[in-house]
Amino acid sequence: MADAHKLEILRGLVKFKSNTQKIWGVLVLLSIITVVEVGFGIYKPESLMTKFIGMKILNWIFIILTIVKAYYITWDFMHMRDETKALRRMVVWTAVFLICYLIYILLQEGGYIESVYSSGYVKRDF
């Protein structure tokens, strides 16, 4: 039954011989994504500071990479790859929808709070 799990990552691009090798491969992949995020956070390239859809491109990159990491952790470490298609879609797409909704709410509220602090008056009264 231990061989029932698929020993590949990145849609079969990289294949492993054992579960231990796969765990190390996933660790390396997630570490690379984290290093890229930390590098962007430290250096903050000026070319990524332009606004796109109301937010800096750098912030979009952070959000996308974080969602990719969360999806991949769910896909491999929670063994969603080995489940039925319906269960995978229920778990993964529900989480993606809720994360996107949370991001929307945080951006709306953060933008409002920033405008109140910068202008000094309440723009909307709930």
Side-chain angles (χ1 to χ4, degrees):
M1 197 49 118
D3 296 331
H5 298 296
K6 296 178 182 171
L7 298 175
E8 56 192 30
I9 60 173
L10 300 173
R11 303 243 178 216
L13 188 64
V14 181
K15 296 181 182 185
F16 300 101
K17 295 178 183 172
S18 69
N19 282 328
T20 306
Q21 285 181 344
K22 182 181 175 190
I23 290 171
W24 282 104
V26 171
L27 175 70
V28 168
L29 176 69
L30 294 175
S31 297
I32 289 170
I33 294 173
T34 303
V35 166
V36 168
E37 283 180 330
V38 170
F40 277 145
I42 291 172
Y43 293 112
K44 296 180 184 167
E46 196 62 39
S47 61
L48 298 177
M49 292 301 187
T50 57
K51 290 222 176 200
F52 177 72
I53 310 179
M55 194 168 51
K56 295 176 186 172
I57 294 174
L58 185 62
N59 291 344
W60 283 112
I61 290 172
F62 286 144
I63 291 169
I64 291 168
L65 288 177
T66 302
I67 290 173
V68 166
K69 283 193 323 187
Y71 177 84
Y72 206 79
I73 288 168
T74 304
W75 188 251
D76 268 326
F77 287 120
M78 296 175 72
H79 304 288
M80 278 294 156
R81 169 192 317 255
D82 302 322
E83 297 296 339
T84 63
K85 191 179 232 181
L87 181 64
R88 286 193 312 235
R89 286 184 178 166
M90 275 191 296
V91 171
V92 173
W93 288 112
T94 302
V96 168
F97 169 75
L98 291 175
I99 290 169
C100 291
Y101 184 61
L102 174 67
I103 290 168
Y104 172 76
I105 291 171
L106 290 173
L107 291 175
Q108 288 296 315
E109 292 298 319
Y112 172 70
I113 290 171
E114 190 272 331
S115 67
V116 167
Y117 281 135
S118 65
S119 62
Y121 67 94
V122 177
K123 193 167 31 173
R124 296 186 300 235
D125 193 7
F126 299 104

PDB file of all heavy atoms in Angstrom, residues 67 89-105:
ATOM      1  N   ILE A  67      -0.391  31.462  -2.265  1.00  0.00           N
ATOM      2  CA  ILE A  67      -1.465  30.546  -2.670  1.00  0.00           C
ATOM      3  C   ILE A  67      -0.880  29.298  -3.320  1.00  0.00           C
ATOM      4  O   ILE A  67      -1.355  28.188  -3.083  1.00  0.00           O
ATOM      5  CB  ILE A  67      -2.462  31.264  -3.593  1.00  0.00           C
ATOM      6  CG1 ILE A  67      -3.256  32.301  -2.791  1.00  0.00           C
ATOM      7  CG2 ILE A  67      -3.416  30.272  -4.257  1.00  0.00           C
ATOM      8  CD1 ILE A  67      -4.143  33.189  -3.615  1.00  0.00           C
ATOM      9  N   ARG A  89     -11.591  18.672  -5.722  1.00  0.00           N
ATOM     10  CA  ARG A  89     -12.176  19.957  -6.116  1.00  0.00           C
ATOM     11  C   ARG A  89     -12.892  20.625  -4.958  1.00  0.00           C
ATOM     12  O   ARG A  89     -12.783  21.840  -4.781  1.00  0.00           O
ATOM     13  CB  ARG A  89     -13.136  19.757  -7.288  1.00  0.00           C
ATOM     14  CG  ARG A  89     -12.416  19.509  -8.566  1.00  0.00           C
ATOM     15  CD  ARG A  89     -13.355  19.410  -9.718  1.00  0.00           C
ATOM     16  NE  ARG A  89     -12.605  19.204 -10.958  1.00  0.00           N
ATOM     17  CZ  ARG A  89     -13.141  18.819 -12.073  1.00  0.00           C
ATOM     18  NH1 ARG A  89     -14.427  18.586 -12.155  1.00  0.00           N
ATOM     19  NH2 ARG A  89     -12.391  18.664 -13.147  1.00  0.00           N
ATOM     20  N   MET A  90     -13.615  19.852  -4.167  1.00  0.00           N
ATOM     21  CA  MET A  90     -14.316  20.441  -3.024  1.00  0.00           C
ATOM     22  C   MET A  90     -13.343  21.093  -2.051  1.00  0.00           C
ATOM     23  O   MET A  90     -13.547  22.223  -1.619  1.00  0.00           O
ATOM     24  CB  MET A  90     -15.120  19.369  -2.283  1.00  0.00           C
ATOM     25  CG  MET A  90     -16.480  19.109  -2.852  1.00  0.00           C
ATOM     26  SD  MET A  90     -17.486  18.095  -1.768  1.00  0.00           S
ATOM     27  CE  MET A  90     -16.592  16.562  -1.743  1.00  0.00           C
ATOM     28  N   VAL A  91     -12.286  20.397  -1.710  1.00  0.00           N
ATOM     29  CA  VAL A  91     -11.344  20.909  -0.715  1.00  0.00           C
ATOM     30  C   VAL A  91     -10.518  22.059  -1.284  1.00  0.00           C
ATOM     31  O   VAL A  91     -10.433  23.137  -0.697  1.00  0.00           O
ATOM     32  CB  VAL A  91     -10.433  19.771  -0.205  1.00  0.00           C
ATOM     33  CG1 VAL A  91      -9.313  20.316   0.644  1.00  0.00           C
ATOM     34  CG2 VAL A  91     -11.238  18.754   0.564  1.00  0.00           C
ATOM     35  N   VAL A  92      -9.908  21.843  -2.431  1.00  0.00           N
ATOM     36  CA  VAL A  92      -8.970  22.827  -2.974  1.00  0.00           C
ATOM     37  C   VAL A  92      -9.685  24.085  -3.455  1.00  0.00           C
ATOM     38  O   VAL A  92      -9.286  25.195  -3.113  1.00  0.00           O
ATOM     39  CB  VAL A  92      -8.121  22.195  -4.097  1.00  0.00           C
ATOM     40  CG1 VAL A  92      -7.278  23.240  -4.783  1.00  0.00           C
ATOM     41  CG2 VAL A  92      -7.243  21.100  -3.528  1.00  0.00           C
ATOM     42  N   TRP A  93     -10.752  23.946  -4.224  1.00  0.00           N
ATOM     43  CA  TRP A  93     -11.408  25.136  -4.764  1.00  0.00           C
ATOM     44  C   TRP A  93     -12.137  25.927  -3.691  1.00  0.00           C
ATOM     45  O   TRP A  93     -12.219  27.157  -3.779  1.00  0.00           O
ATOM     46  CB  TRP A  93     -12.325  24.783  -5.919  1.00  0.00           C
ATOM     47  CG  TRP A  93     -11.523  24.423  -7.127  1.00  0.00           C
ATOM     48  CD1 TRP A  93     -11.424  23.203  -7.704  1.00  0.00           C
ATOM     49  CD2 TRP A  93     -10.647  25.286  -7.861  1.00  0.00           C
ATOM     50  NE1 TRP A  93     -10.544  23.247  -8.762  1.00  0.00           N
ATOM     51  CE2 TRP A  93     -10.054  24.516  -8.881  1.00  0.00           C
ATOM     52  CE3 TRP A  93     -10.290  26.633  -7.753  1.00  0.00           C
ATOM     53  CZ2 TRP A  93      -9.151  25.048  -9.789  1.00  0.00           C
ATOM     54  CZ3 TRP A  93      -9.392  27.154  -8.652  1.00  0.00           C
ATOM     55  CH2 TRP A  93      -8.829  26.373  -9.656  1.00  0.00           C
ATOM     56  N   THR A  94     -12.651  25.255  -2.676  1.00  0.00           N
ATOM     57  CA  THR A  94     -13.255  25.984  -1.562  1.00  0.00           C
ATOM     58  C   THR A  94     -12.195  26.822  -0.849  1.00  0.00           C
ATOM     59  O   THR A  94     -12.424  27.996  -0.541  1.00  0.00           O
ATOM     60  CB  THR A  94     -13.915  25.010  -0.575  1.00  0.00           C
ATOM     61  OG1 THR A  94     -14.886  24.239  -1.272  1.00  0.00           O
ATOM     62  CG2 THR A  94     -14.561  25.745   0.570  1.00  0.00           C
ATOM     63  N   ALA A  95     -11.046  26.222  -0.614  1.00  0.00           N
ATOM     64  CA  ALA A  95      -9.963  26.965   0.041  1.00  0.00           C
ATOM     65  C   ALA A  95      -9.490  28.128  -0.825  1.00  0.00           C
ATOM     66  O   ALA A  95      -9.273  29.240  -0.327  1.00  0.00           O
ATOM     67  CB  ALA A  95      -8.804  26.029   0.354  1.00  0.00           C
ATOM     68  N   VAL A  96      -9.335  27.905  -2.122  1.00  0.00           N
ATOM     69  CA  VAL A  96      -8.891  28.980  -3.019  1.00  0.00           C
ATOM     70  C   VAL A  96      -9.914  30.110  -3.028  1.00  0.00           C
ATOM     71  O   VAL A  96      -9.558  31.295  -2.952  1.00  0.00           O
ATOM     72  CB  VAL A  96      -8.639  28.435  -4.439  1.00  0.00           C
ATOM     73  CG1 VAL A  96      -8.472  29.559  -5.436  1.00  0.00           C
ATOM     74  CG2 VAL A  96      -7.425  27.523  -4.449  1.00  0.00           C
ATOM     75  N   PHE A  97     -11.206  29.771  -3.103  1.00  0.00           N
ATOM     76  CA  PHE A  97     -12.243  30.799  -3.085  1.00  0.00           C
ATOM     77  C   PHE A  97     -12.201  31.599  -1.788  1.00  0.00           C
ATOM     78  O   PHE A  97     -12.262  32.830  -1.804  1.00  0.00           O
ATOM     79  CB  PHE A  97     -13.625  30.168  -3.267  1.00  0.00           C
ATOM     80  CG  PHE A  97     -14.745  31.127  -3.002  1.00  0.00           C
ATOM     81  CD1 PHE A  97     -15.059  32.114  -3.922  1.00  0.00           C
ATOM     82  CD2 PHE A  97     -15.467  31.070  -1.821  1.00  0.00           C
ATOM     83  CE1 PHE A  97     -16.070  33.016  -3.674  1.00  0.00           C
ATOM     84  CE2 PHE A  97     -16.480  31.962  -1.563  1.00  0.00           C
ATOM     85  CZ  PHE A  97     -16.793  32.942  -2.494  1.00  0.00           C
ATOM     86  N   LEU A  98     -12.096  30.910  -0.656  1.00  0.00           N
ATOM     87  CA  LEU A  98     -12.077  31.613   0.626  1.00  0.00           C
ATOM     88  C   LEU A  98     -10.843  32.485   0.793  1.00  0.00           C
ATOM     89  O   LEU A  98     -10.909  33.576   1.350  1.00  0.00           O
ATOM     90  CB  LEU A  98     -12.203  30.611   1.775  1.00  0.00           C
ATOM     91  CG  LEU A  98     -13.568  29.930   1.898  1.00  0.00           C
ATOM     92  CD1 LEU A  98     -13.531  28.876   2.983  1.00  0.00           C
ATOM     93  CD2 LEU A  98     -14.655  30.943   2.163  1.00  0.00           C
ATOM     94  N   ILE A  99      -9.701  32.023   0.287  1.00  0.00           N
ATOM     95  CA  ILE A  99      -8.487  32.837   0.351  1.00  0.00           C
ATOM     96  C   ILE A  99      -8.639  34.087  -0.509  1.00  0.00           C
ATOM     97  O   ILE A  99      -8.286  35.189  -0.090  1.00  0.00           O
ATOM     98  CB  ILE A  99      -7.258  32.010  -0.064  1.00  0.00           C
ATOM     99  CG1 ILE A  99      -6.932  30.965   0.999  1.00  0.00           C
ATOM    100  CG2 ILE A  99      -6.049  32.909  -0.319  1.00  0.00           C
ATOM    101  CD1 ILE A  99      -5.909  29.942   0.566  1.00  0.00           C
ATOM    102  N   CYS A 100      -9.175  33.929  -1.717  1.00  0.00           N
ATOM    103  CA  CYS A 100      -9.393  35.092  -2.586  1.00  0.00           C
ATOM    104  C   CYS A 100     -10.381  36.075  -1.958  1.00  0.00           C
ATOM    105  O   CYS A 100     -10.189  37.289  -2.031  1.00  0.00           O
ATOM    106  CB  CYS A 100      -9.874  34.649  -3.959  1.00  0.00           C
ATOM    107  SG  CYS A 100      -8.634  33.778  -4.915  1.00  0.00           S
ATOM    108  N   TYR A 101     -11.425  35.559  -1.334  1.00  0.00           N
ATOM    109  CA  TYR A 101     -12.404  36.412  -0.664  1.00  0.00           C
ATOM    110  C   TYR A 101     -11.762  37.149   0.506  1.00  0.00           C
ATOM    111  O   TYR A 101     -11.990  38.347   0.692  1.00  0.00           O
ATOM    112  CB  TYR A 101     -13.583  35.566  -0.204  1.00  0.00           C
ATOM    113  CG  TYR A 101     -14.701  36.362   0.414  1.00  0.00           C
ATOM    114  CD1 TYR A 101     -15.379  37.332  -0.314  1.00  0.00           C
ATOM    115  CD2 TYR A 101     -15.084  36.139   1.733  1.00  0.00           C
ATOM    116  CE1 TYR A 101     -16.397  38.060   0.257  1.00  0.00           C
ATOM    117  CE2 TYR A 101     -16.108  36.860   2.308  1.00  0.00           C
ATOM    118  CZ  TYR A 101     -16.766  37.822   1.568  1.00  0.00           C
ATOM    119  OH  TYR A 101     -17.769  38.547   2.136  1.00  0.00           O
ATOM    120  N   LEU A 102     -10.936  36.461   1.279  1.00  0.00           N
ATOM    121  CA  LEU A 102     -10.230  37.096   2.388  1.00  0.00           C
ATOM    122  C   LEU A 102      -9.311  38.203   1.881  1.00  0.00           C
ATOM    123  O   LEU A 102      -9.254  39.293   2.461  1.00  0.00           O
ATOM    124  CB  LEU A 102      -9.426  36.061   3.177  1.00  0.00           C
ATOM    125  CG  LEU A 102      -8.532  36.614   4.286  1.00  0.00           C
ATOM    126  CD1 LEU A 102      -9.384  37.210   5.397  1.00  0.00           C
ATOM    127  CD2 LEU A 102      -7.627  35.537   4.823  1.00  0.00           C
ATOM    128  N   ILE A 103      -8.598  37.942   0.793  1.00  0.00           N
ATOM    129  CA  ILE A 103      -7.720  38.957   0.220  1.00  0.00           C
ATOM    130  C   ILE A 103      -8.530  40.183  -0.202  1.00  0.00           C
ATOM    131  O   ILE A 103      -8.139  41.327   0.066  1.00  0.00           O
ATOM    132  CB  ILE A 103      -6.927  38.380  -0.966  1.00  0.00           C
ATOM    133  CG1 ILE A 103      -5.903  37.367  -0.466  1.00  0.00           C
ATOM    134  CG2 ILE A 103      -6.243  39.479  -1.769  1.00  0.00           C
ATOM    135  CD1 ILE A 103      -5.273  36.545  -1.567  1.00  0.00           C
ATOM    136  N   TYR A 104      -9.672  39.959  -0.835  1.00  0.00           N
ATOM    137  CA  TYR A 104     -10.528  41.067  -1.252  1.00  0.00           C
ATOM    138  C   TYR A 104     -10.969  41.903  -0.053  1.00  0.00           C
ATOM    139  O   TYR A 104     -10.884  43.132  -0.067  1.00  0.00           O
ATOM    140  CB  TYR A 104     -11.745  40.534  -2.019  1.00  0.00           C
ATOM    141  CG  TYR A 104     -12.770  41.587  -2.309  1.00  0.00           C
ATOM    142  CD1 TYR A 104     -12.568  42.517  -3.323  1.00  0.00           C
ATOM    143  CD2 TYR A 104     -13.934  41.679  -1.553  1.00  0.00           C
ATOM    144  CE1 TYR A 104     -13.512  43.497  -3.590  1.00  0.00           C
ATOM    145  CE2 TYR A 104     -14.875  42.646  -1.802  1.00  0.00           C
ATOM    146  CZ  TYR A 104     -14.660  43.556  -2.824  1.00  0.00           C
ATOM    147  OH  TYR A 104     -15.573  44.528  -3.079  1.00  0.00           O
ATOM    148  N   ILE A 105     -11.419  41.234   0.997  1.00  0.00           N
ATOM    149  CA  ILE A 105     -11.873  41.954   2.189  1.00  0.00           C
ATOM    150  C   ILE A 105     -10.720  42.735   2.822  1.00  0.00           C
ATOM    151  O   ILE A 105     -10.874  43.903   3.194  1.00  0.00           O
ATOM    152  CB  ILE A 105     -12.492  40.973   3.210  1.00  0.00           C
ATOM    153  CG1 ILE A 105     -13.805  40.426   2.675  1.00  0.00           C
ATOM    154  CG2 ILE A 105     -12.698  41.639   4.556  1.00  0.00           C
ATOM    155  CD1 ILE A 105     -14.378  39.309   3.508  1.00  0.00           C
TER     156      ILE A 105
END
